[in-house]
Coordinates of all heavy atoms in Angstrom, one line a residue:
M1 N 24.6 -17.8 16.4 CA 24.2 -16.6 15.7 C 24.2 -15.4 16.7 O 23.6 -15.6 17.8 CB 22.9 -16.7 15.0 CG 22.7 -15.8 13.8 SD 21.0 -15.7 13.3 CE 20.5 -17.4 13.3
G2 N 24.8 -14.3 16.4 CA 24.8 -13.1 17.3 C 23.4 -12.5 17.2 O 22.6 -12.8 16.4
R3 N 23.2 -11.6 18.2 CA 21.8 -11.0 18.3 C 21.5 -10.1 17.1 O 20.3 -10.1 16.6 CB 21.9 -10.1 19.6 CG 20.5 -9.5 20.0 CD 19.5 -10.5 20.3 NE 18.2 -9.9 20.6 CZ 17.0 -10.4 20.3 NH1 17.0 -11.6 19.6 NH2 15.9 -9.8 20.6
H4 N 22.5 -9.4 16.6 CA 22.3 -8.6 15.4 C 21.8 -9.4 14.2 O 20.8 -9.1 13.6 CB 23.6 -7.9 15.0 CG 23.5 -6.8 14.0 ND1 24.5 -6.1 13.5 CD2 22.4 -6.4 13.3 CE1 24.1 -5.2 12.7 NE2 22.8 -5.4 12.5
E5 N 22.4 -10.5 14.0 CA 22.0 -11.4 12.9 C 20.6 -12.0 13.1 O 19.8 -12.2 12.2 CB 23.1 -12.6 12.7 CG 24.2 -12.2 11.8 CD 23.8 -11.7 10.5 OE1 23.1 -12.4 9.8 OE2 24.2 -10.5 10.1
E6 N 20.4 -12.4 14.4 CA 19.1 -12.9 14.7 C 18.0 -11.9 14.4 O 16.9 -12.3 13.8 CB 19.2 -13.2 16.3 CG 18.4 -14.3 16.8 CD 18.7 -14.5 18.2 OE1 18.1 -13.8 19.1 OE2 19.6 -15.3 18.5
L7 N 18.2 -10.7 14.8 CA 17.2 -9.6 14.6 C 17.0 -9.4 13.1 O 15.9 -9.1 12.6 CB 17.6 -8.3 15.3 CG 17.5 -8.4 16.8 CD1 18.1 -7.2 17.5 CD2 16.0 -8.6 17.3
R8 N 18.1 -9.4 12.3 CA 18.0 -9.2 10.9 C 17.2 -10.3 10.2 O 16.5 -10.1 9.3 CB 19.4 -9.2 10.3 CG 20.1 -7.9 10.4 CD 21.5 -7.8 9.7 NE 22.0 -6.5 9.7 CZ 23.2 -6.2 9.3 NH1 24.0 -7.2 8.9 NH2 23.6 -5.0 9.3
K9 N 17.3 -11.5 10.8 CA 16.5 -12.6 10.2 C 15.0 -12.3 10.4 O 14.2 -12.6 9.6 CB 16.9 -13.9 10.9 CG 18.1 -14.6 10.4 CD 17.9 -16.1 10.4 CE 18.8 -16.7 9.3 NZ 18.8 -18.0 9.0
E10 N 14.7 -11.8 11.6 CA 13.3 -11.4 11.9 C 12.8 -10.3 10.9 O 11.7 -10.4 10.4 CB 13.3 -10.9 13.4 CG 12.0 -11.3 14.1 CD 12.0 -10.8 15.5 OE1 13.0 -11.1 16.3 OE2 11.1 -10.1 15.9
I11 N 13.7 -9.3 10.7 CA 13.4 -8.3 9.7 C 13.1 -8.9 8.3 O 12.2 -8.5 7.6 CB 14.5 -7.2 9.6 CG1 14.6 -6.4 10.9 CG2 14.4 -6.3 8.4 CD1 14.0 -5.0 10.9
D12 N 14.0 -9.8 7.9 CA 13.9 -10.4 6.6 C 12.5 -11.1 6.4 O 11.9 -11.0 5.4 CB 15.0 -11.4 6.4 CG 16.4 -10.8 6.1 OD1 16.4 -9.5 5.9 OD2 17.4 -11.5 6.2
Q13 N 12.1 -11.8 7.5 CA 10.8 -12.5 7.4 C 9.6 -11.5 7.4 O 8.7 -11.7 6.6 CB 10.7 -13.5 8.7 CG 9.4 -14.3 8.7 CD 9.2 -15.1 7.4 OE1 10.1 -15.6 6.8 NE2 7.9 -15.2 7.0
I14 N 9.7 -10.5 8.1 CA 8.7 -9.4 8.1 C 8.6 -8.8 6.7 O 7.6 -8.6 6.1 CB 8.9 -8.4 9.2 CG1 8.7 -9.0 10.6 CG2 8.0 -7.2 9.0 CD1 9.3 -8.2 11.7
D15 N 9.8 -8.5 6.1 CA 9.9 -7.9 4.8 C 9.2 -8.8 3.8 O 8.5 -8.4 2.9 CB 11.3 -7.6 4.4 CG 11.8 -6.3 5.1 OD1 11.1 -5.6 5.8 OD2 13.1 -6.1 5.0
R16 N 9.5 -10.1 3.9 CA 8.9 -11.1 2.9 C 7.4 -11.0 3.0 O 6.7 -10.9 2.0 CB 9.4 -12.5 3.3 CG 8.8 -13.6 2.5 CD 9.0 -14.9 3.1 NE 10.3 -15.4 2.9 CZ 10.7 -16.3 1.9 NH1 9.8 -16.7 1.1 NH2 11.9 -16.7 1.8
E17 N 6.8 -11.0 4.2 CA 5.4 -10.9 4.4 C 4.8 -9.6 3.9 O 3.8 -9.5 3.2 CB 5.0 -11.1 5.8 CG 5.3 -12.5 6.3 CD 5.1 -12.7 7.8 OE1 4.2 -11.9 8.4 OE2 5.8 -13.5 8.4
L18 N 5.6 -8.5 4.1 CA 5.2 -7.2 3.7 C 5.1 -7.1 2.2 O 4.1 -6.6 1.6 CB 6.1 -6.1 4.2 CG 5.9 -5.5 5.5 CD1 7.0 -4.5 5.9 CD2 4.6 -4.7 5.5
V19 N 6.1 -7.6 1.5 CA 6.2 -7.6 0.0 C 5.0 -8.4 -0.5 O 4.4 -8.0 -1.5 CB 7.5 -8.1 -0.5 CG1 7.5 -8.4 -2.0 CG2 8.7 -7.2 -0.1
Q20 N 4.7 -9.6 0.1 CA 3.6 -10.4 -0.4 C 2.3 -9.6 -0.3 O 1.4 -9.6 -1.2 CB 3.5 -11.7 0.4 CG 4.6 -12.7 -0.1 CD 4.8 -13.8 0.9 OE1 4.2 -13.9 2.0 NE2 5.6 -14.8 0.5
L21 N 2.1 -8.9 0.8 CA 0.9 -8.1 1.1 C 0.8 -6.9 0.1 O -0.2 -6.6 -0.4 CB 0.8 -7.7 2.5 CG 0.5 -8.8 3.5 CD1 0.6 -8.3 5.0 CD2 -0.9 -9.3 3.3
V22 N 2.0 -6.3 -0.1 CA 2.0 -5.1 -1.0 C 1.6 -5.6 -2.4 O 0.8 -4.9 -3.2 CB 3.3 -4.4 -1.0 CG1 3.4 -3.3 -2.1 CG2 3.5 -3.7 0.3
E23 N 2.2 -6.7 -2.8 CA 1.8 -7.3 -4.1 C 0.3 -7.6 -4.3 O -0.3 -7.2 -5.3 CB 2.6 -8.6 -4.4 CG 2.5 -9.1 -5.8 CD 3.4 -10.3 -6.1 OE1 4.2 -10.7 -5.2 OE2 3.2 -10.9 -7.2
K24 N -0.2 -8.1 -3.2 CA -1.7 -8.4 -3.2 C -2.5 -7.1 -3.3 O -3.4 -7.0 -4.0 CB -1.9 -9.2 -1.8 CG -3.2 -10.0 -1.8 CD -3.2 -10.8 -0.5 CE -4.6 -11.3 -0.2 NZ -4.6 -11.9 1.2
R25 N -2.0 -6.1 -2.5 CA -2.7 -4.8 -2.5 C -2.7 -4.2 -3.9 O -3.7 -3.6 -4.4 CB -2.1 -3.9 -1.5 CG -2.9 -2.7 -1.1 CD -2.2 -1.7 -0.2 NE -3.1 -0.8 0.4 CZ -3.6 0.3 -0.2 NH1 -3.3 0.5 -1.4 NH2 -4.4 1.1 0.5
M26 N -1.5 -4.3 -4.5 CA -1.3 -3.7 -5.9 C -2.3 -4.4 -6.9 O -2.8 -3.7 -7.8 CB 0.1 -3.8 -6.3 CG 1.0 -2.8 -5.7 SD 0.6 -1.1 -6.0 CE 2.2 -0.3 -6.2
K27 N -2.4 -5.7 -6.7 CA -3.3 -6.4 -7.7 C -4.7 -5.9 -7.5 O -5.4 -5.7 -8.5 CB -3.2 -7.9 -7.4 CG -2.0 -8.5 -8.0 CD -2.1 -10.1 -8.1 CE -0.8 -10.7 -8.7 NZ -0.2 -11.6 -7.8
V28 N -5.2 -5.7 -6.3 CA -6.5 -5.2 -6.0 C -6.7 -3.8 -6.6 O -7.7 -3.4 -7.2 CB -6.9 -5.3 -4.5 CG1 -8.3 -4.7 -4.3 CG2 -6.9 -6.7 -4.0
S29 N -5.6 -3.0 -6.4 CA -5.6 -1.6 -6.9 C -5.8 -1.6 -8.4 O -6.5 -0.8 -9.0 CB -4.3 -1.0 -6.5 OG -4.2 0.3 -7.0
T30 N -5.1 -2.6 -9.1 CA -5.2 -2.7 -10.5 C -6.7 -3.0 -11.0 O -7.2 -2.4 -11.9 CB -4.3 -3.8 -11.0 OG1 -3.0 -3.4 -10.7 CG2 -4.3 -3.9 -12.5
E31 N -7.3 -3.9 -10.2 CA -8.7 -4.2 -10.5 C -9.6 -2.9 -10.3 O -10.5 -2.7 -11.1 CB -9.2 -5.3 -9.6 CG -8.7 -6.7 -10.0 CD -9.4 -7.8 -9.2 OE1 -10.6 -7.7 -9.1 OE2 -8.7 -8.6 -8.8
I32 N -9.3 -2.1 -9.3 CA -10.0 -0.9 -9.1 C -9.8 0.0 -10.3 O -10.7 0.7 -10.8 CB -9.6 -0.2 -7.8 CG1 -10.1 -1.1 -6.6 CG2 -10.3 1.2 -7.7 CD1 -9.8 -0.5 -5.2
A33 N -8.6 0.1 -10.8 CA -8.2 0.9 -12.0 C -9.1 0.5 -13.1 O -9.6 1.4 -13.9 CB -6.8 0.8 -12.3
E34 N -9.3 -0.8 -13.4 CA -10.2 -1.2 -14.5 C -11.6 -0.7 -14.3 O -12.2 -0.3 -15.2 CB -10.1 -2.8 -14.6 CG -8.8 -3.4 -14.8 CD -8.3 -3.2 -16.3 OE1 -9.1 -2.7 -17.1 OE2 -7.1 -3.4 -16.5
Y35 N -12.0 -0.8 -13.0 CA -13.4 -0.4 -12.7 C -13.5 1.1 -13.0 O -14.5 1.6 -13.5 CB -13.7 -0.7 -11.3 CG -15.1 -0.3 -10.8 CD1 -16.2 -1.1 -11.1 CD2 -15.3 0.9 -10.3 CE1 -17.5 -0.7 -10.7 CE2 -16.6 1.4 -9.9 CZ -17.7 0.5 -10.1 OH -18.9 0.9 -9.8
K36 N -12.5 1.8 -12.5 CA -12.6 3.3 -12.7 C -12.6 3.7 -14.2 O -13.3 4.6 -14.6 CB -11.4 3.9 -12.0 CG -11.5 3.9 -10.5 CD -10.3 4.6 -9.8 CE -10.7 4.8 -8.3 NZ -9.5 5.3 -7.5
L37 N -11.8 3.0 -15.0 CA -11.7 3.2 -16.4 C -13.1 3.0 -17.0 O -13.6 3.8 -17.8 CB -10.7 2.3 -17.1 CG -10.5 2.5 -18.6 CD1 -9.9 3.8 -18.9 CD2 -9.7 1.3 -19.2
A38 N -13.7 1.9 -16.7 CA -15.0 1.5 -17.2 C -16.1 2.5 -16.8 O -17.1 2.7 -17.6 CB -15.3 0.1 -16.8
N39 N -15.9 3.0 -15.6 CA -17.0 3.9 -15.1 C -16.7 5.4 -15.1 O -17.4 6.2 -14.5 CB -17.4 3.4 -13.7 CG -18.1 2.1 -13.7 OD1 -19.2 1.9 -14.0 ND2 -17.3 1.0 -13.5
N40 N -15.6 5.7 -15.7 CA -15.2 7.1 -15.9 C -15.0 7.8 -14.5 O -15.4 8.9 -14.3 CB -16.2 7.8 -16.7 CG -15.6 8.9 -17.6 OD1 -14.3 8.9 -17.8 ND2 -16.3 9.8 -18.1
I41 N -14.3 7.1 -13.6 CA -14.0 7.6 -12.2 C -12.5 8.0 -12.2 O -11.7 7.2 -12.6 CB -14.4 6.6 -11.2 CG1 -15.9 6.2 -11.3 CG2 -14.0 7.0 -9.8 CD1 -16.3 5.0 -10.4
P42 N -12.2 9.2 -11.6 CA -10.8 9.6 -11.5 C -10.0 8.7 -10.6 O -10.6 8.1 -9.6 CB -10.8 11.0 -11.0 CG -12.2 11.2 -10.4 CD -13.1 10.2 -11.1
V43 N -8.7 8.6 -10.8 CA -7.8 7.7 -10.0 C -7.8 8.2 -8.6 O -7.9 7.4 -7.6 CB -6.4 7.6 -10.7 CG1 -5.4 7.1 -9.7 CG2 -6.4 6.8 -11.9
L44 N -7.6 9.5 -8.4 CA -7.4 10.1 -7.0 C -8.8 10.2 -6.4 O -9.7 10.8 -6.9 CB -6.7 11.4 -7.1 CG -6.7 12.2 -5.8 CD1 -5.8 11.5 -4.8 CD2 -6.2 13.6 -6.0
D45 N -8.9 9.7 -5.1 CA -10.1 9.9 -4.3 C -9.5 10.4 -2.9 O -9.2 9.5 -2.1 CB -10.9 8.6 -4.2 CG -12.2 8.8 -3.4 OD1 -12.3 9.7 -2.6 OD2 -13.1 7.9 -3.5
A46 N -9.4 11.7 -2.8 CA -8.8 12.2 -1.6 C -9.5 11.9 -0.3 O -8.9 11.7 0.7 CB -8.6 13.7 -1.8
Q47 N -10.8 11.9 -0.4 CA -11.7 11.6 0.8 C -11.4 10.2 1.3 O -11.2 9.9 2.4 CB -13.2 11.7 0.4 CG -13.7 13.1 0.4 CD -13.6 13.7 1.8 OE1 -12.7 14.5 2.1 NE2 -14.5 13.3 2.7
R48 N -11.3 9.2 0.3 CA -11.1 7.8 0.6 C -9.7 7.7 1.2 O -9.5 7.0 2.2 CB -11.2 7.0 -0.7 CG -10.7 5.6 -0.6 CD -11.5 4.7 0.4 NE -10.9 3.4 0.5 CZ -11.2 2.5 1.4 NH1 -12.1 2.8 2.4 NH2 -10.6 1.3 1.5
E49 N -8.7 8.4 0.7 CA -7.3 8.4 1.2 C -7.3 8.8 2.7 O -6.6 8.2 3.5 CB -6.4 9.2 0.3 CG -6.3 8.5 -1.1 CD -5.0 8.8 -1.8 OE1 -4.1 9.4 -1.3 OE2 -4.9 8.3 -3.0
K50 N -8.0 9.9 3.0 CA -8.0 10.3 4.4 C -8.6 9.3 5.3 O -8.1 9.0 6.4 CB -8.9 11.6 4.5 CG -8.1 12.9 4.3 CD -9.0 14.1 4.5 CE -8.5 15.3 3.7 NZ -9.5 16.2 3.3
K51 N -9.6 8.6 4.8 CA -10.3 7.5 5.6 C -9.3 6.4 5.8 O -9.2 5.8 6.9 CB -11.5 7.0 4.9 CG -12.7 7.9 5.2 CD -14.0 7.2 4.6 CE -15.1 8.3 4.5 NZ -16.1 8.0 3.5
V52 N -8.6 6.0 4.7 CA -7.6 4.9 4.8 C -6.5 5.2 5.9 O -6.2 4.4 6.7 CB -7.0 4.6 3.4 CG1 -5.9 3.6 3.6 CG2 -8.1 4.0 2.5
I53 N -6.0 6.4 5.8 CA -5.0 6.8 6.7 C -5.5 6.7 8.2 O -4.8 6.1 9.0 CB -4.5 8.3 6.4 CG1 -3.8 8.3 5.1 CG2 -3.5 8.8 7.5 CD1 -3.6 9.7 4.5
N54 N -6.7 7.3 8.4 CA -7.2 7.3 9.8 C -7.5 5.8 10.3 O -7.2 5.5 11.4 CB -8.5 8.1 9.9 CG -8.1 9.6 9.8 OD1 -7.1 10.0 10.2 ND2 -9.0 10.4 9.2
K55 N -8.0 5.0 9.4 CA -8.3 3.6 9.7 C -7.0 2.9 10.1 O -6.9 2.2 11.0 CB -8.9 3.0 8.5 CG -9.9 1.8 8.7 CD -10.8 1.6 7.6 CE -10.3 1.9 6.2 NZ -9.3 1.0 5.7
N56 N -6.0 3.1 9.2 CA -4.7 2.4 9.5 C -4.1 2.8 10.8 O -3.6 2.0 11.6 CB -3.7 2.7 8.3 CG -4.2 1.9 7.1 OD1 -5.1 1.1 7.1 ND2 -3.5 2.2 5.9
I57 N -4.2 4.1 11.1 CA -3.7 4.6 12.4 C -4.4 3.9 13.6 O -3.9 3.6 14.6 CB -3.8 6.1 12.5 CG1 -2.7 6.8 11.6 CG2 -3.6 6.6 13.9 CD1 -2.9 8.3 11.4
S58 N -5.7 3.7 13.4 CA -6.6 3.2 14.4 C -6.2 1.7 14.7 O -6.5 1.2 15.8 CB -8.1 3.3 14.1 OG -8.4 2.2 13.2
Y59 N -5.5 1.0 13.8 CA -5.1 -0.4 14.0 C -3.9 -0.5 14.9 O -3.6 -1.5 15.4 CB -4.8 -1.1 12.7 CG -5.9 -1.1 11.7 CD1 -5.7 -1.0 10.3 CD2 -7.2 -1.3 12.1 CE1 -6.7 -1.1 9.4 CE2 -8.3 -1.4 11.2 CZ -8.0 -1.3 9.8 OH -9.0 -1.3 8.9
L60 N -3.2 0.7 15.1 CA -2.0 0.7 15.9 C -2.3 0.5 17.4 O -3.4 1.0 17.9 CB -1.3 2.0 15.8 CG -0.4 2.2 14.6 CD1 0.1 3.6 14.5 CD2 0.9 1.3 14.7
T61 N -1.4 -0.1 18.1 CA -1.6 -0.2 19.6 C -0.6 0.8 20.2 O -0.8 1.3 21.3 CB -1.3 -1.6 20.1 OG1 -0.1 -2.1 19.5 CG2 -2.4 -2.5 19.9
D62 N 0.5 1.1 19.5 CA 1.5 2.1 19.9 C 1.3 3.5 19.3 O 1.6 3.7 18.1 CB 2.9 1.5 19.5 CG 4.0 2.4 20.0 OD1 3.8 3.5 20.5 OD2 5.2 2.0 19.9
R63 N 0.7 4.4 20.1 CA 0.3 5.7 19.6 C 1.6 6.5 19.1 O 1.4 7.5 18.3 CB -0.4 6.6 20.7 CG -1.8 6.2 21.0 CD -2.8 6.9 20.1 NE -2.8 6.4 18.7 CZ -3.4 5.3 18.3 NH1 -4.2 4.6 19.2 NH2 -3.4 4.9 17.1
T64 N 2.7 6.2 19.6 CA 3.9 7.0 19.2 C 4.3 6.7 17.7 O 5.2 7.3 17.1 CB 5.2 6.6 20.0 OG1 5.5 5.3 19.9 CG2 4.9 6.9 21.5
L65 N 3.5 5.7 17.1 CA 3.8 5.4 15.7 C 2.8 6.0 14.7 O 2.9 5.8 13.5 CB 3.8 3.8 15.5 CG 4.9 3.1 16.2 CD1 4.8 1.6 16.0 CD2 6.3 3.5 15.7
D66 N 1.9 6.8 15.2 CA 0.8 7.4 14.4 C 1.4 8.1 13.1 O 0.9 7.8 12.0 CB 0.0 8.5 15.2 CG -1.0 7.8 16.1 OD1 -0.9 6.6 16.3 OD2 -1.8 8.5 16.7
S67 N 2.3 9.0 13.3 CA 2.8 9.7 12.2 C 3.5 8.8 11.2 O 3.5 9.1 10.0 CB 3.8 10.9 12.6 OG 4.9 10.3 13.3
Y68 N 4.2 7.8 11.7 CA 4.9 6.9 10.8 C 3.9 6.1 9.9 O 4.1 5.9 8.7 CB 5.7 5.9 11.5 CG 6.9 6.5 12.3 CD1 6.7 6.8 13.6 CD2 8.1 6.8 11.6 CE1 7.8 7.5 14.3 CE2 9.1 7.4 12.3 CZ 9.0 7.7 13.6 OH 10.0 8.3 14.3
I69 N 2.8 5.7 10.5 CA 1.8 4.9 9.8 C 1.0 5.8 8.8 O 0.6 5.4 7.7 CB 0.8 4.2 10.7 CG1 1.6 3.0 11.3 CG2 -0.4 3.7 10.0 CD1 2.1 1.9 10.3
S70 N 0.8 7.1 9.2 CA 0.2 8.0 8.4 C 1.1 8.2 7.1 O 0.6 8.1 6.0 CB 0.1 9.4 9.1 OG -0.3 10.4 8.2
E71 N 2.4 8.4 7.3 CA 3.3 8.6 6.2 C 3.4 7.3 5.3 O 3.3 7.4 4.1 CB 4.7 8.9 6.7 CG 5.4 9.9 5.9 CD 6.7 10.3 6.5 OE1 6.7 10.9 7.7 OE2 7.8 10.1 5.9
F72 N 3.4 6.2 6.0 CA 3.5 4.9 5.3 C 2.3 4.7 4.4 O 2.4 4.3 3.2 CB 3.6 3.8 6.3 CG 3.6 2.4 5.7 CD1 4.7 1.9 5.1 CD2 2.4 1.6 5.9 CE1 4.6 0.6 4.5 CE2 2.4 0.3 5.4 CZ 3.5 -0.2 4.7
S73 N 1.1 5.0 4.9 CA -0.1 4.9 4.2 C -0.2 5.8 3.0 O -0.6 5.4 1.9 CB -1.3 5.2 5.1 OG -1.3 4.3 6.2
K74 N 0.3 7.0 3.2 CA 0.4 8.0 2.1 C 1.3 7.5 0.9 O 0.9 7.6 -0.2 CB 0.9 9.4 2.6 CG -0.2 10.2 3.3 CD 0.4 11.5 3.8 CE -0.5 12.1 4.8 NZ 0.1 13.2 5.6
H75 N 2.4 7.0 1.3 CA 3.4 6.4 0.3 C 2.7 5.3 -0.4 O 2.8 5.2 -1.6 CB 4.7 5.9 1.0 CG 5.6 7.0 1.4 ND1 6.1 8.0 0.5 CD2 6.2 7.3 2.6 CE1 6.9 8.8 1.1 NE2 7.0 8.4 2.4
L76 N 2.1 4.4 0.3 CA 1.5 3.2 -0.2 C 0.4 3.6 -1.3 O 0.4 3.1 -2.4 CB 0.8 2.4 0.9 CG 0.7 0.9 0.8 CD1 2.0 0.3 0.4 CD2 0.2 0.4 2.1
M77 N -0.4 4.6 -1.0 CA -1.4 5.0 -1.9 C -0.9 5.8 -3.1 O -1.4 5.8 -4.2 CB -2.5 5.8 -1.1 CG -3.3 4.8 -0.3 SD -4.8 5.5 0.5 CE -4.0 6.5 1.8
E78 N 0.2 6.5 -2.8 CA 0.9 7.2 -3.9 C 1.4 6.2 -5.0 O 1.2 6.4 -6.2 CB 2.0 8.1 -3.4 CG 2.4 9.2 -4.3 CD 3.5 8.9 -5.2 OE1 4.4 8.1 -4.8 OE2 3.5 9.4 -6.4
L79 N 1.9 5.1 -4.5 CA 2.4 4.0 -5.4 C 1.2 3.4 -6.0 O 1.3 3.0 -7.2 CB 3.2 3.0 -4.6 CG 4.5 3.5 -4.0 CD1 5.2 2.4 -3.1 CD2 5.5 3.9 -5.0
S80 N 0.2 3.2 -5.3 CA -1.0 2.5 -5.8 C -1.6 3.4 -7.0 O -2.0 2.9 -8.0 CB -2.0 2.4 -4.7 OG -3.3 2.1 -5.1
R81 N -1.7 4.7 -6.8 CA -2.2 5.6 -7.8 C -1.2 5.6 -9.0 O -1.7 5.6 -10.2 CB -2.3 7.0 -7.3 CG -3.6 7.4 -6.7 CD -3.7 8.8 -6.3 NE -3.2 9.1 -5.0 CZ -2.1 9.8 -4.8 NH1 -1.4 10.4 -5.7 NH2 -1.7 10.0 -3.5
R82 N 0.1 5.5 -8.8 CA 1.0 5.5 -9.9 C 0.8 4.2 -10.7 O 0.8 4.3 -11.9 CB 2.5 5.5 -9.3 CG 3.4 6.2 -10.3 CD 4.9 5.9 -9.9 NE 5.3 6.5 -8.7 CZ 6.5 6.3 -8.1 NH1 7.3 5.5 -8.7 NH2 6.8 7.0 -7.0
R83 N 0.6 3.1 -10.0 CA 0.4 1.9 -10.7 C -0.9 1.9 -11.5 O -1.0 1.4 -12.6 CB 0.4 0.7 -9.6 CG 0.0 -0.6 -10.2 CD 1.2 -1.2 -10.9 NE 0.9 -2.6 -11.2 CZ 1.6 -3.3 -12.1 NH1 2.5 -2.7 -12.8 NH2 1.3 -4.6 -12.3
Q84 N -2.0 2.5 -10.9 CA -3.2 2.6 -11.6 C -3.1 3.4 -12.9 O -3.6 3.0 -13.9 CB -4.3 3.2 -10.7 CG -4.8 2.4 -9.6 CD -6.0 2.9 -8.8 OE1 -6.5 4.0 -9.1 NE2 -6.5 2.2 -7.8
K85 N -2.4 4.5 -12.8 CA -2.2 5.4 -14.0 C -1.4 4.6 -15.0 O -1.7 4.7 -16.2 CB -1.5 6.7 -13.6 CG -2.4 7.7 -12.9 CD -1.7 8.9 -12.4 CE -2.6 9.7 -11.5 NZ -1.9 10.7 -10.7
E86 N -0.4 3.9 -14.6 CA 0.5 3.2 -15.5 C -0.4 2.1 -16.3 O -0.3 1.9 -17.5 CB 1.6 2.5 -14.7 CG 2.6 1.8 -15.6 CD 3.6 1.0 -14.7 OE1 3.2 0.1 -13.9 OE2 4.8 1.3 -14.7
C87 N -1.2 1.4 -15.5 CA -2.1 0.4 -16.1 C -3.1 1.0 -17.0 O -3.3 0.4 -18.1 CB -2.9 -0.3 -15.0 SG -1.8 -1.4 -14.0
L88 N -3.7 2.1 -16.7 CA -4.7 2.8 -17.5 C -4.1 3.3 -18.8 O -4.7 3.3 -19.9 CB -5.4 3.9 -16.8 CG -6.2 3.4 -15.6 CD1 -6.9 4.6 -14.9 CD2 -7.2 2.4 -16.0
K89 N -2.8 3.7 -18.7 CA -2.1 4.3 -19.9 C -1.8 3.2 -20.9 O -2.1 3.2 -22.0 CB -0.8 4.9 -19.4 CG -0.3 6.0 -20.4 CD 0.8 6.8 -19.7 CE 2.0 6.0 -19.3 NZ 2.9 6.7 -18.4
Q90 N -1.2 2.1 -20.3 CA -0.8 1.0 -21.2 C -2.0 0.1 -21.6 O -2.1 -0.4 -22.7 CB 0.3 0.1 -20.5 CG 1.5 0.8 -20.1 CD 2.4 -0.1 -19.3 OE1 2.0 -1.2 -19.0 NE2 3.6 0.3 -19.1
H91 N -2.8 -0.2 -20.6 CA -3.9 -1.1 -20.7 C -3.5 -2.4 -21.3 O -4.1 -2.9 -22.2 CB -5.0 -0.5 -21.5 CG -6.4 -1.0 -21.0 ND1 -7.2 -1.6 -21.8 CD2 -6.9 -0.9 -19.8 CE1 -8.3 -2.0 -21.1 NE2 -8.1 -1.6 -19.9
T92 N -2.4 -3.0 -20.7 CA -1.9 -4.3 -21.2 C -2.4 -5.4 -20.2 O -2.9 -5.1 -19.2 CB -0.4 -4.3 -21.2 OG1 0.1 -4.0 -19.9 CG2 0.2 -3.2 -22.1
K93 N -2.1 -6.6 -20.6 CA -2.5 -7.7 -19.8 C -1.6 -7.9 -18.5 O -1.9 -8.6 -17.6 CB -2.4 -9.0 -20.6 CG -3.5 -9.1 -21.6 CD -4.1 -10.6 -21.7 CE -5.1 -10.8 -22.7 NZ -6.2 -9.9 -22.7
T94 N -0.5 -7.2 -18.5 CA 0.4 -7.3 -17.3 C -0.2 -6.6 -16.1 O 0.2 -6.8 -15.0 CB 1.8 -6.6 -17.6 OG1 1.6 -5.4 -18.2 CG2 2.6 -7.5 -18.5
C95 N -1.2 -5.7 -16.4 CA -1.8 -4.9 -15.3 C -3.2 -5.6 -14.9 O -3.8 -6.2 -15.6 CB -2.0 -3.5 -15.6 SG -0.5 -2.6 -15.7
Ligands
PRE1 O1 -10.3 3.2 -3.2 C1 -9.9 3.5 -4.3 O2 -10.7 4.1 -5.1 C2 -8.6 3.2 -4.9 O3 -8.3 3.4 -6.0 C3 -7.6 2.6 -3.9 C4 -6.7 3.7 -3.3 C5 -5.7 2.9 -2.4 O4 -4.6 2.5 -2.8 O5 -6.1 2.7 -1.2 C6 -5.9 4.4 -4.4 C7 -6.2 5.6 -5.0 C8 -7.3 6.4 -4.4 O6 -6.9 7.7 -4.3 C9 -7.8 5.9 -3.1 C10 -7.4 4.7 -2.6

């Protein structure tokens, strides 16, 4: 196997793990949505989002990746909010 293919295999494995973790995160987010619905709490919590971004950046060892992880976290939470809203709207068993 050439080096390119070898590295792609590595990426594929990382993506598999990432997808599994994102799925797990989305499930927890859905549970939070249920809690928010029951307790009349809005989906967006801007303060919490700032904390999550800073926390995630702090896990990095490579400081040159700060802005990437900041953006990645923002995207992740945007998707999480979208999913929460979708679940609250439909309120079906799939969520
Ligand atoms: O912590 C919450 O209240 C959540 O709903 C989770 C979450 C997240 O995905 O991390 C999603 C939406 C909020 O704006 C803040 C954080």
